[in-house]
Amino acid sequence: MAKLLIVYHSRTGGSRQMAEAAAVAARGEAQTVLKTADQAGPEDLLQADGYIFCAPENLAAIAGAMKEFFDRCYYPVLGRIQGRPYAQMVCAGSDGENAVRQIARIAQGWRLKEVQPPLIVCTHAQTPEQILAEKTIPEAELDQCRDIGQALAAGLSMGVF
């Protein structure tokens, strides 16, 4: 059975909601593993057939915990996961584009294959209070996350990728 790994980091709940929505939808199509960035490691990447990376953008960059996951895993799997499909989702307060670029660049280094355009969910959090507050992602945007999870898992199961 095809295996999808979803790795995420979330401090205020937005990315967690997005990753969980993708995982719920993916489980109907493929074996799905949902792990936080601090719990996921090279062995998880090696055991999976495809990936969804979900992170917040903090200070115009991917969150430090997600970057640490990539730092910790990059070289141990380099040359061993090329060609595998991936998608990414970013939870941002205003933009998200730089985090998308950073994740895409890391995936390019691993020679992963992007199979869906990146999803950026913008919370419009602009004040310190809004930025630090617990997030609630609207259902319409969670539906987009579900679509990504289901489509990637279905593609893995059907051998499309």
Side-chain angles (χ1 to χ4, degrees):
M1 176 179 248
K3 186 174 184 179
L4 174 63
L5 173 65
I6 302 173
V7 180
Y8 76 96
H9 170 69
S10 187
R11 182 169 293 161
T12 61
S15 296
R16 177 187 49 76
Q17 292 167 57
M18 294 167 64
E20 288 173 348
V24 167
R27 288 192 176 114
E29 304 289 342
Q31 181 183 356
T32 303
V33 176
L34 177 66
K35 286 203 167 187
T36 59
D38 64 333
Q39 296 297 311
E43 62 285 345
D44 298 301
L45 290 162
L46 292 170
Q47 292 170 7
D49 301 300
Y51 317 102
I52 296 174
F53 303 115
C54 183
E57 181 177 66
N58 293 342
L59 302 173
I62 58 175
M66 196 71 178
K67 174 70 166 60
E68 197 278 331
F69 158 75
F70 288 123
D71 287 345
R72 190 168 27 85
C73 295
Y74 190 82
Y75 291 109
V77 304
L78 186 61
R80 300 169 71 187
I81 61 172
Q82 67 273 4
R84 294 181 190 179
Y86 86 98
Q88 62 167 306
M89 303 183 300
V90 170
C91 186
S94 58
D95 183 53
E97 292 293 334
N98 197 46
V100 163
R101 278 191 295 278
Q102 289 176 305
I103 293 170
R105 181 65 186 104
I106 293 164
Q108 181 183 12
W110 273 337
R111 308 296 189 263
L112 298 178
K113 179 173 44 172
E114 182 184 73
V115 295
Q116 296 196 7
L119 172 64
I120 298 173
V121 171
C122 185
T123 65
H124 305 284
Q126 296 299 301
T127 67
E129 295 77 21
Q130 292 170 333
I131 291 166
L132 297 172
E134 193 70 16
K135 305 296 183 286
T136 300
I137 304 301
E139 205 54 42
E141 291 172 318
L142 291 177
D143 282 343
Q144 293 178 292
C145 299
R146 290 181 192 103
D147 290 346
I148 289 171
Q150 183 178 25
L152 186 45
L156 286 173
S157 292
M158 292 186 293
V160 172
F161 305 123

